[in-house]
Amino acid sequence: MAPAPAPTAPHSDSRFGLGRQVRLDGPLRLDSGVALAPVDIAYETYGSLNADRSNAVLICHALTGDQYLASPHPLTGKPGWWWRMVGEGKPVDPARHFIVCANVLGSCMGSSGPASVDPVRDEPFAMRFPVITIGDMVRAQAMLLNHLGIERLSAVIGGSMGGMQALTWPTLYPDRVESAIVIASTARHSAQNIAFHEVGRQAIMADPRWRGGNYYGDNDVPSAGLAVARMAAHITYLSEAGLTEKFGRRLQARPDSPGGQKTFGFDADFQVESYLRHQGLSFVERFDANSYLYITRAMDYYDLAEDHEGSLARAFARTKARFCVVSFDTDWLYPTAESRVIVHALNASGAQASFVELSSPFGHDAFLLEAPELNRVVDGFLRAGER
Amino acid sequence: MAPAPAPTAPHSDSRFGLGRQVRLDGPLRLDSGVALAPVDIAYETYGSLNADRSNAVLICHALTGDQYLASPHPLTGKPGWWWRMVGEGKPVDPARHFIVCANVLGSCMGSSGPASVDPVRDEPFAMRFPVITIGDMVRAQAMLLNHLGIERLSAVIGGSMGGMQALTWPTLYPDRVESAIVIASTARHSAQNIAFHEVGRQAIMADPRWRGGNYYGDNDVPSAGLAVARMAAHITYLSEAGLTEKFGRRLQARPDSPGGQKTFGFDADFQVESYLRHQGLSFVERFDANSYLYITRAMDYYDLAEDHEGSLARAFARTKARFCVVSFDTDWLYPTAESRVIVHALNASGAQASFVELSSPFGHDAFLLEAPELNRVVDGFLRAGER
């Protein structure tokens, strides 16, 4: 699956070692009121745009995701994060679809974010980067689609924070979206969601290496704080039952004790401790702490009803898309009840909506893992729209 | 409610400004194999031991609790942590009961712990303090009861980690316990429980001020790490619905905006953020970071079945106590399923056990908050034993 050649466009693409990246003049008018210009967007594409430009599918990534959804990650070398869903013979198939995935605004894989160079000061923005919203991420994606010559999306698809973007797309661009698939997501961040994110932010900002966000100069980054943030968040991505099945109270194997033993110390005695520490440590090698602050903030600010006098149904009033909403029964981060809120509002607004709760042991992360039923749902929904 | 005069005992009590404290010669043989001597135990008592010494009630406190269950905390000035349950006219009543509550081993309110002075080196133990277990806490309490001349307990009562101690008491001292009340607790720490504690420990140990635990000299303590640990843990004490009811997505009032507004910055915009930050900051003023490491470790090591070939029923085989097990429907830290595991094992062992799941919006913390039903259950169970 080689990236497709980009259609002729007013701006030239260039390679920065991190895949495809475009600098758009902007300005992008942000929800905060700030005008951001220029706007860098890093993205990957798979497949080709067909003659009538009707096969474009936009995939939106989650908090710590990126544009490498179906090709190896350039830093970790790991397969793309959604290789189970996107690829030859998969529900989203480059043989049928022109697939676009852009690194979200605020992130650190090539799109404009706190690590980007502020052209006015010729140094990284750091915390001078404007606070952004999910709506701003969507507007930046729309700018990219304009650049790529894509007027309409056959589908916009996302899980978790990607689902927030997929849900927001038809509300901001009713004429540009034919269908939206919203997986393991929510129309607003709950108090508990905000609370967990705030713990992560405080962990980062408590790290003396954070230095108000100005750590880019010497590359002595707040990895300890970011690792703790990741560890706390990671627990919320897994189900209690899944953790019990995967680790239970099993102890780490040791050279002198294959079954493990309690050391009566503070090393990682339990496998789950070792696993979490690994999650924290490997995350800091591929993610920027300031981006973590900005993107969690965008998620916490997310409340789709808010811009529509508190009525979610009203948010969907102008949409013309078909919606497919999917939740997982063991997801306690964005539980099924949150998907039901979305579906009730879609129904109230008269939108065409299908909804399914899938069973999985994996909690919130189920959408990223082996989930054959999810693939069947997405495949069926997309093919129904293509008929 | 003045503390009762201590019965004549081989060791003299003394006051250290933190209530009643006794130094026992020991040694206390710990589960790790270490012999701890001497053993300091700080405690409070309420009411008087009756003539036949049959009215003693031991209350066991939770992770961050202390001996001040029904009298003001000496550092914060706040009412005792269980004033709703313990006091005149309450289920545990100094007019009827001789109530004892001891600061657990490893803690920081006067009992031996990492902040205590190691007599061998004449400096604080810090991380040289031996790792302790729930069983060790119970053995230390038994030493205190010996000192106080209390052979048998009419009841041992505890919530959360206090419930672990209450559950363990009859297994270690079958002849000394007539009844045990185990509230919002578990017979073992789950992978998820361990994971949340590990996040807290990593947050503390990542704080450069922690310095391997050697921060007592200059009192420049790892408060940032401890605050983050507390914040993460605090979320687990509350229910999602409770957080939504209490805070939802409400914004902080500001001088120029009574209803609050998004600042598009990283201040605490949401009330729940401000609340969590306050929880973290106020906690560090009354708790020692190393104690937090030791006590969470003891909880993670807790698996009552483990010492009985993995059979919880076998753990209860020798007990003679009546058990009362209480859970709360919104407690996701130690959910009702964990209490059911206990009750099934009690039933299998032939122990007398009653079990009730109470409804509360408050999650795990329900046992500390307004819970009239809990008071009725405890009252009824205690009076049934006194008849």
Side-chain angles (χ1 to χ4, degrees):
Chain A
M1 269 191 311
T8 313
H11 300 272
S12 64
D13 290 338
S14 53
R15 294 245 162 209
F16 286 72
L18 283 173
R20 199 177 293 264
Q21 191 189 47
V22 63
R23 172 157 294 182
L24 304 172
D25 291 338
L28 174 60
R29 191 69 58 180
L30 302 173
D31 275 327
S32 65
V34 173
L36 184 68
V39 180
D40 290 338
I41 303 181
Y43 64 101
E44 289 292 316
T45 68
Y46 309 87
S48 327
L49 199 56
N50 60 12
D52 56 0
R53 304 188 163 224
S54 66
N55 68 335
V57 172
L58 177 71
I59 311 265
C60 306
H61 69 73
L63 165 53
T64 68
D66 48 58
Q67 63 271 38
Y68 303 100
L69 82 164
S71 38
H73 191 283
L75 299 180
T76 67
K78 287 186 181 170
W81 57 268
W82 227 10
W83 64 268
R84 288 179 174 88
M85 181 64 73
V86 180
E88 284 178 53
K90 304 283 167 64
V92 185
D93 189 337
R96 254 163 59 223
H97 302 118
F98 180 57
I99 305 156
V100 180
C101 185
N103 189 219
V104 296
L105 198 67
S107 190
C108 50
M109 289 301 287
S111 291
S112 292
S116 303
V117 170
D118 176 356
V120 175
R121 306 168 69 115
D122 198 28
E123 62 181 11
F125 280 102
M127 301 305 283
R128 288 178 301 275
F129 193 74
V131 165
I132 44 135
T133 65
I134 300 292
D136 294 332
M137 294 176 188
V138 168
R139 288 183 197 100
Q141 288 159 352
M143 287 173 67
L144 172 67
L145 296 190
N146 294 346
H147 163 74
L148 295 175
I150 298 170
E151 174 53 30
R152 283 173 66 81
L153 290 170
S154 168
V156 54
I157 311 176
S160 195
M161 186 182 82
M164 299 178 193
Q165 297 159 60
L167 193 64
T168 303
W169 252 100
T171 69
L172 290 181
Y173 302 102
D175 294 320
R176 297 184 75 166
V177 186
E178 282 161 29
S179 69
I181 305 181
V182 178
I183 305 165
S185 193
T186 180
R188 58 163 183 231
H189 242 211
S190 72
Q192 192 185 65
N193 296 150
I194 297 169
F196 274 114
H197 274 175
E198 175 65 3
V199 168
R201 286 190 294 263
Q202 290 295 319
I204 291 167
M205 298 196 284
D207 187 329
R209 289 198 176 84
W210 180 62
R211 292 171 279 171
N214 298 309
Y215 52 78
Y216 296 110
D218 57 10
N219 213 30
D220 187 17
V221 303
S223 40
L226 182 60
V228 168
R230 175 63 167 181
M231 289 170 67
H234 197 78
I235 302 174
T236 70
Y237 302 154
L238 308 174
S239 73
E240 197 272 334
L243 271 172
T244 294
E245 190 184 309
K246 193 168 182 179
F247 303 108
R249 296 182 47 79
R250 281 188 291 285
L251 297 162
Q252 284 275 89
R254 295 182 184 280
D256 54 342
S257 170
Q261 59 185 32
K262 292 178 182 167
T263 63
F264 290 95
F266 291 90
D267 285 343
D269 278 1
F270 295 100
Q271 290 178 13
V272 68
E273 292 178 291
S274 170
Y275 169 79
L276 265 193
R277 291 183 189 187
H278 172 75
Q279 291 296 326
L281 291 175
S282 58
F283 181 60
V284 302
E285 288 169 16
R286 70 170 180 88
F287 214 82
D288 176 49
N290 285 343
S291 279
Y292 197 86
L293 299 177
Y294 276 85
I295 300 178
T296 56
R297 199 53 161 167
M299 294 172 79
D300 291 350
Y301 273 6
Y302 188 59
D303 181 0
L304 189 51
E306 202 178 58
D307 296 332
H308 302 268
E309 296 106 66
S311 162
L312 192 56
R314 203 167 297 170
F316 298 128
R318 295 195 309 136
T319 65
K320 298 167 185 171
R322 299 157 55 238
F323 289 84
C324 174
V325 179
V326 183
S327 69
F328 291 95
D329 58 353
T330 53
D331 182 352
W332 60 277
L333 186 65
Y334 304 134
T336 291
E338 297 295 340
S339 284
R340 278 212 194 88
V341 168
I342 295 171
V343 173
H344 288 170
L346 286 168
N347 289 339
S349 77
Q352 196 181 332
S354 67
F355 169 50
V356 60
E357 180 191 56
L358 299 179
S359 193
S360 163
F362 299 127
H364 180 66
D365 264 359
F367 79 98
L368 295 168
L369 302 172
E370 195 61 35
E373 274 195 284
L374 176 64
N375 281 34
R376 276 194 292 275
V377 168
V378 171
D379 190 55
F381 183 81
L382 289 178
R383 287 186 187 276
E386 290 161 25
R387 270 198 299 270
Chain B
M1 270 191 308
T8 313
H11 300 270
S12 63
D13 290 337
S14 54
R15 293 245 162 209
F16 285 72
L18 282 173
R20 199 176 292 265
Q21 192 189 47
V22 63
R23 172 158 291 184
L24 303 173
D25 290 339
L28 174 60
R29 191 69 58 178
L30 302 173
D31 276 326
S32 66
V34 173
L36 184 66
V39 180
D40 290 337
I41 303 180
Y43 64 100
E44 288 292 315
T45 69
Y46 309 87
S48 327
L49 198 58
N50 60 10
D52 57 359
R53 302 186 165 227
S54 65
N55 68 335
V57 173
L58 178 69
I59 311 265
C60 306
H61 69 72
L63 167 52
T64 67
D66 49 57
Q67 64 270 38
Y68 302 99
L69 82 165
S71 38
H73 191 283
L75 299 179
T76 67
K78 286 187 182 170
W81 56 269
W82 227 10
W83 65 266
R84 288 180 174 87
M85 181 63 73
V86 179
E88 284 175 54
K90 303 284 166 62
V92 185
D93 190 338
R96 254 162 62 222
H97 302 117
F98 180 56
I99 304 154
V100 180
C101 185
N103 189 219
V104 296
L105 199 66
S107 189
C108 51
M109 289 301 286
S111 292
S112 291
S116 303
V117 171
D118 175 356
V120 174
R121 306 169 69 115
D122 199 28
E123 61 181 11
F125 280 101
M127 300 305 282
R128 288 178 301 273
F129 193 74
V131 165
I132 43 133
T133 66
I134 301 292
D136 294 332
M137 294 176 187
V138 167
R139 288 184 198 98
Q141 288 160 350
M143 286 173 68
L144 172 67
L145 296 190
N146 294 346
H147 163 73
L148 295 175
I150 299 170
E151 176 51 32
R152 283 172 68 80
L153 290 169
S154 168
V156 55
I157 311 175
S160 195
M161 186 183 81
M164 298 178 194
Q165 297 160 60
L167 193 65
T168 302
W169 251 99
T171 70
L172 291 180
Y173 302 102
D175 295 321
R176 296 186 74 166
V177 186
E178 283 161 27
S179 68
I181 305 181
V182 178
I183 305 165
S185 191
T186 180
R188 60 167 180 228
H189 242 210
S190 73
Q192 192 186 65
N193 295 151
I194 296 170
F196 274 115
H197 274 175
E198 176 65 3
V199 168
R201 286 189 294 260
Q202 291 294 318
I204 290 168
M205 297 195 286
D207 187 330
R209 289 199 176 83
W210 180 63
R211 291 170 279 171
N214 298 308
Y215 52 78
Y216 296 110
D218 58 10
N219 214 29
D220 187 16
V221 303
S223 41
L226 182 60
V228 168
R230 175 63 165 183
M231 288 170 66
H234 197 78
I235 301 173
T236 71
Y237 303 154
L238 309 174
S239 73
E240 196 272 334
L243 272 171
T244 295
E245 190 184 309
K246 193 167 180 176
F247 303 108
R249 296 182 47 80
R250 280 188 291 284
L251 297 161
Q252 285 274 90
R254 297 184 183 278
D256 53 342
S257 171
Q261 60 185 32
K262 291 179 183 168
T263 62
F264 289 94
F266 291 90
D267 286 343
D269 278 2
F270 295 100
Q271 290 178 13
V272 67
E273 292 177 292
S274 168
Y275 169 79
L276 266 193
R277 291 184 189 187
H278 172 75
Q279 291 296 327
L281 292 175
S282 59
F283 180 60
V284 302
E285 287 170 16
R286 69 171 179 88
F287 213 81
D288 177 49
N290 285 342
S291 278
Y292 197 85
L293 299 178
Y294 276 85
I295 301 178
T296 56
R297 199 53 161 165
M299 294 171 79
D300 290 350
Y301 272 6
Y302 189 59
D303 180 0
L304 190 51
E306 201 178 57
D307 296 333
H308 302 268
E309 297 106 66
S311 161
L312 193 56
R314 203 168 298 170
F316 298 128
R318 296 195 308 136
T319 64
K320 298 168 184 170
R322 298 157 56 237
F323 288 84
C324 175
V325 179
V326 184
S327 70
F328 291 95
D329 58 352
T330 53
D331 182 352
W332 60 277
L333 186 65
Y334 304 135
T336 292
E338 298 294 341
S339 285
R340 277 211 195 89
V341 168
I342 296 172
V343 173
H344 288 168
L346 286 169
N347 290 339
S349 77
Q352 196 181 331
S354 67
F355 169 48
V356 60
E357 181 191 55
L358 300 179
S359 193
S360 163
F362 299 126
H364 180 66
D365 264 359
F367 78 99
L368 295 169
L369 303 172
E370 195 63 34
E373 274 195 284
L374 176 64
N375 281 33
R376 277 194 291 273
V377 167
V378 172
D379 190 54
F381 184 80
L382 288 178
R383 287 185 188 275
E386 291 162 23
R387 270 197 300 269

